[in-house]
Amino acid sequence: MAICHRQCPAAMAFCFLETLWWEFTASYDTTCIGLASRPYAFLEFDGIIQKVKWHFNYVSSTQMESSLERIQEELKFQPPVVLSLEDTDVANGVVNGHPRVTLEPAPNFRMEPVTALGVLSLILNIMCAALNLIRGIHLAEHSLQVAHEEIGNILAFLIPFVACIFQCYLYLFYSPARTTKVVLMLLFICLGNVYLHGLRNLWQILFHIGVAFLSSYQILTRQLQEKQADCGVV
């Protein structure tokens, strides 16, 4: 890329770039270029760039007539693309014919800090999920050998297990339509435990339902953090 005065002939700018290209290929071979890994690996080439720039600025164009004539002939067959200032304006969101892209700040989905009661609800929820999983697997192994009528009981253990795990997820991470999901998970846990009335006593059922209500309350009361004021830092 070369930036020059608008009165400078296009052939002169292309001649300048071509001269730099020849100087660069003469100074560095392909092996040296391929092994370059650090930023500004060819910083010393700036000295050659300054010499070539001085040569084009202060040496008369008559000394470069042969190169200029050749490039002018090439430009007649392949004229350069002329861009206006509006074409190079990236801020308006229209670049090279692409549709306008509106840049908006990403939504802030950072939740409020976890409370001690929230940690307790997570621990109790994980414990209830583990109890449901163990009882469900044990009942499934027993039912495969005895009868197939226990499928409803197996599902009544496994569905609350999934609901408990999902409650933990809803508490830790933001999710759209949280209220609807919380109500559904609470409903699954309550119905599952009521269905298991013959396999669990009243206190066990109340414990699982109480933990489900506690987790639901913690999920609904843990809100998104308020977005910090914009201080104009860009």
Side-chain angles (χ1 to χ4, degrees):
M1 179 184 294
I3 300 176
C4 53
H5 196 273
R6 63 181 179 179
Q7 296 180 353
C8 178
M12 182 72 74
F14 278 92
C15 185
F16 172 74
L17 292 175
E18 186 180 59
T19 303
L20 285 182
W21 180 76
W22 282 110
E23 292 288 346
F24 187 82
T25 54
S27 302
Y28 305 99
D29 55 12
T30 55
T31 303
C32 180
I33 296 174
L35 294 177
S37 58
R38 61 183 177 86
Y40 308 105
F42 307 106
L43 188 61
E44 62 273 8
F45 186 71
D46 183 67
I48 299 178
I49 295 177
Q50 299 304 320
K51 291 180 181 178
V52 175
K53 186 171 69 173
W54 182 89
H55 180 76
F56 273 77
N57 285 332
Y58 298 103
V59 176
S60 60
S61 59
T62 56
Q63 301 181 21
M64 299 178 290
E65 285 184 357
S66 59
S67 298
L68 288 175
E69 290 177 358
R70 178 177 56 82
I71 293 179
Q72 285 174 348
E73 291 294 328
E74 294 179 358
L75 293 178
K76 289 181 181 179
F77 296 100
Q78 294 180 344
V81 178
V82 179
L83 298 178
S84 64
L85 184 61
E86 290 76 13
D87 295 330
T88 59
D89 189 5
V90 182
N92 62 2
V94 181
V95 183
N96 296 330
H98 293 285
R100 181 181 297 273
V101 178
T102 304
L103 299 179
E104 297 180 354
N108 181 16
F109 288 154
R110 180 171 295 183
M111 306 291 291
E112 292 179 350
V114 177
T115 62
L117 190 59
V119 174
L120 177 62
S121 69
L122 284 175
I123 296 174
L124 294 176
N125 222 343
I126 293 173
M127 184 175 67
C128 290
L131 292 174
N132 287 324
L133 181 62
I134 294 172
R135 291 289 302 274
I137 293 176
H138 177 74
L139 189 60
E141 294 176 350
H142 177 72
S143 298
L144 290 177
Q145 300 176 0
V146 178
H148 297 281
E149 290 81 7
E150 300 292 338
I151 296 179
N153 292 331
I154 296 173
L155 293 177
F157 279 115
L158 296 182
I159 292 177
F161 158 73
V162 176
C164 290
I165 297 299
F166 195 64
Q167 276 191 330
C168 295
Y169 172 82
L170 291 176
Y171 179 75
L172 294 174
F173 305 101
Y174 173 79
S175 178
R178 281 198 309 163
T179 303
T180 303
K181 295 175 182 178
V182 168
V183 171
L184 285 176
M185 295 304 106
L186 181 61
L187 183 63
F188 288 149
I189 294 175
C190 291
L191 291 178
N193 281 276
V194 171
Y195 187 86
L196 294 172
H197 179 68
L199 299 177
R200 280 179 172 162
N201 58 43
L202 181 61
W203 294 108
Q204 291 174 332
I205 294 174
L206 291 177
F207 173 76
H208 283 267
I209 294 178
V211 171
F213 271 97
L214 175 62
S215 299
S216 301
Y217 174 77
Q218 291 299 311
I219 294 170
L220 295 177
T221 55
R222 189 181 184 216
Q223 302 296 328
L224 294 173
Q225 283 186 341
E226 295 183 1
K227 186 176 180 180
Q228 300 296 326
D230 187 6
C231 299
V233 180
V234 296

